Amino acid sequence: MRILAIESSCDETAAAVVEDGRRVLSNVIASQTRVHGAYFGVVPELASRCHIEYALPVVREALDLAAQSLGVRTADFEASTKSLALDAIAVTRGPGLIGSLLVGVETAKTLAWVWNLPLIPVHHIAGHLRSVFCELPAGQSRILEIPPEGDDSAPEWKSDAESCAVESQSAGPPSPNTRQRKPVFDYPYLGLVVSGGHSSIIRADAPDRLRVLGAALDDAPGEAYDKVAKRLGLGYPGGPAVDRLAAEGDPQAFDLPRPVLHARNYDFSFSGLKTAVVRVIEDLGGPDRLRGDGTALRDLCASFQAAVVEVLLTKAERALKGERLSRLAIVGGVACNRGLRAEAARRFGRIHLVFPPPVLCTDNAAMIAAAAAHVKPLCKEEALALDARAGWELP
Ligand code: KG4
Ligand code: ZN
């Protein structure tokens, strides 16, 4: 089963072709990071406009790359679907920004109609949870940085060498015999979904049997990273910048709160932590002064990151025990975080822990195609009537 998927829920226009829910033939992403950078956050109106401009070029690139990897010729769009023998088109229906989702949904509906293919709507979080099953060979990802308004330079597709090199199953139970193969990751497992828009702890018993055990009560962790970075003047998205600085700082330098750490539930809250960091920034003389003092800046980033990581992993650990699970998948944009990866590997040495490669942590369409392989396609009438759902709950 070969599926072309489109993802446009936030600020990445993405398309991918995936075989049998696992093998990634192409993973193509046009990123709007530079477009929103000046505003320190996603501007929905700009995001929708970029999706409209890039949706078809991204699909085209995904089809070309998939064709190349299969060694088939693709003269044009029409020829691509025939020679690629696509079985279905999948699309992120929600949750996300409504204007962004609409572009992906309408593009997918149109292509499914024109090419006479079944349409499969996918939940964005179900996609993140399937990302750990994607097998992404080196060279199958292409990234394009969309230039900001006023920059007329022609953007170029780049192969994402760094992300392709990272293993998709980064940790597992320690094996006394290093020659022994790692066990294959499977259901049931606990999913710690940590991203910018939505975050939760989910029990996954099967692709279509997902139960939310806890969620962010206010700011999602990625949102807290972005807001702290914005306050420090570190640019957007904030996660990678704070992560880099934190690696060189002292995580115990500042005594920051660990909100709802001891509450007997699997929810988390980062708004209070973010406010505490903002107060420290003011106490230290404001962001400009702090950026001039490298040590204090690195220490504050490290202390903030340590608090986030401790809350996330303590909640995950409690949920693993409560649900009697021995597998953990950490997914979503914040799963790129090096501090989180290192501490999780240290803390969860006895369970089967997996992270996707970074290019499949942040929003992508490969995870949507992988999830779609387990969702029933819509009939033609249902496909034509499909709507985008900004606040779609996990079915
Ligand atoms: O999953 P994603 O691409 O989009 C949503 O579905 O929200 O996640 C984006 C989020 C942003 O908030 C970004 O700051 C965060 O992931 N992020 C990171 C890192 N890389 C990306 N957060 C912490 N450390 C990182 N290295
Ligand atoms: Zn996401």
Side-chain angles (χ1 to χ4, degrees):
M1 174 116 170
R2 210 169 271 167
I3 296 178
L4 164 71
I6 299 174
E7 149 67 41
S8 69
S9 63
C10 188
D11 61 343
E12 262 104 16
T13 319
V17 179
V18 175
E19 199 154 62
D20 298 329
R22 283 183 189 261
R23 190 171 157 236
V24 182
L25 300 178
S26 64
N27 176 49
V28 171
I29 301 164
S31 162
Q32 302 174 11
T33 299
R34 294 184 60 214
V35 175
H36 303 290
Y39 308 96
F40 293 98
V42 178
V43 182
E45 174 64 27
L46 286 180
S48 313
R49 269 192 256 157
C50 284
H51 286 309
I52 291 171
E53 195 178 339
Y54 284 89
L56 288 180
V58 162
V59 168
R60 173 84 227 209
E61 192 71 19
L63 294 177
D64 281 353
L65 189 55
Q68 266 177 39
S69 76
L70 291 169
V72 297
R73 277 170 53 86
T74 55
D76 53 38
F77 250 8
E78 196 62 40
S80 322
T81 46
K82 292 212 178 83
S83 46
L84 277 174
L86 294 175
D87 293 296
I89 298 199
V91 66
T92 305
R93 185 191 195 188
L97 298 171
I98 190 66
S100 292
L101 289 165
L102 268 172
V103 180
V105 167
E106 292 306 319
T107 306
K109 278 163 76 172
T110 309
L111 292 178
W113 175 261
V114 173
W115 291 339
N116 198 23
L117 288 170
L119 184 66
I120 307 175
V122 175
H123 193 282
H124 184 76
I125 299 301
H128 273 301
L129 287 168
R130 277 303 294 184
S131 62
V132 286
F133 295 98
C134 289
E135 293 155 13
L136 179 63
Q140 295 318 112
S141 290
R142 286 220 185 126
I143 318 282
L144 177 137
E145 294 283 346
I146 302 174
E149 283 186 307
D151 178 342
D152 294 329
S153 58
E156 271 177 39
W157 289 108
K158 294 208 173 105
S159 183
D160 190 29
E162 178 255 346
S163 56
C164 296
V166 179
E167 74 279 29
S168 67
Q169 303 214 349
S170 66
S175 154
N177 175 0
T178 48
R179 284 170 193 279
Q180 209 174 304
R181 278 175 70 85
K182 270 183 195 164
V184 174
F185 195 73
D186 205 351
Y187 294 90
Y189 68 88
L190 190 78
L192 175 62
V193 186
V194 279
S195 71
H198 7 250
S199 287
S200 37
I201 293 186
I202 292 174
R203 181 186 169 104
D205 284 295
D208 59 348
R209 280 177 56 211
L210 308 173
R211 189 157 55 86
V212 179
L213 304 174
L217 299 171
D218 39 53
D219 291 354
E223 197 178 350
Y225 267 95
D226 293 340
K227 287 180 175 167
V228 163
K230 177 178 178 181
R231 196 76 197 92
L232 287 167
L234 297 176
Y236 170 83
V242 173
D243 189 8
R244 262 192 308 275
L245 288 161
E248 293 165 12
D250 173 5
Q252 285 168 351
F254 295 94
D255 186 19
L256 295 171
R258 270 80 170 141
V260 300
L261 184 67
H262 300 295
R264 299 243 137 251
N265 56 38
Y266 305 131
D267 296 329
F268 28 79
S269 153
F270 292 107
S271 169
L273 171 62
K274 173 202 66 193
T275 308
V277 173
V278 169
R279 206 168 300 131
V280 173
I281 298 171
E282 299 315 322
D283 289 350
L284 294 174
D288 294 341
R289 179 112 182 252
L290 201 55
R291 279 201 312 278
D293 176 355
T295 306
L297 180 64
R298 289 190 289 271
D299 286 351
L300 184 55
C301 288
S303 302
F304 164 71
Q305 184 153 298
V308 173
V309 168
E310 188 181 342
V311 172
L312 290 176
L313 297 185
T314 303
K315 292 282 171 163
E317 192 167 24
R318 203 172 292 156
L320 282 163
K321 280 200 191 112
E323 294 292 311
R324 295 172 183 276
L325 291 170
S326 58
R327 299 188 191 100
L328 172 64
I330 306 187
V331 300
V334 180
C336 292
N337 188 272
R338 288 179 298 167
L340 177 67
R341 284 177 178 246
E343 181 58 18
R346 197 192 62 76
R347 205 192 255 235
F348 297 120
R350 301 177 74 82
I351 66 150
H352 194 166
L353 166 70
V354 292
F355 285 94
V359 76
L360 296 182
C361 287
T362 45
D363 288 347
N364 65 87
M367 67 185 194
I368 302 300
H374 304 274
V375 179
K376 194 168 155 263
L378 301 174
C379 72
K380 221 161 185 174
E381 289 69 33
E382 288 169 331
L384 277 179
L386 184 72
D387 56 353
R389 296 249 170 111
W392 198 19
E393 303 269 338
L394 260 177

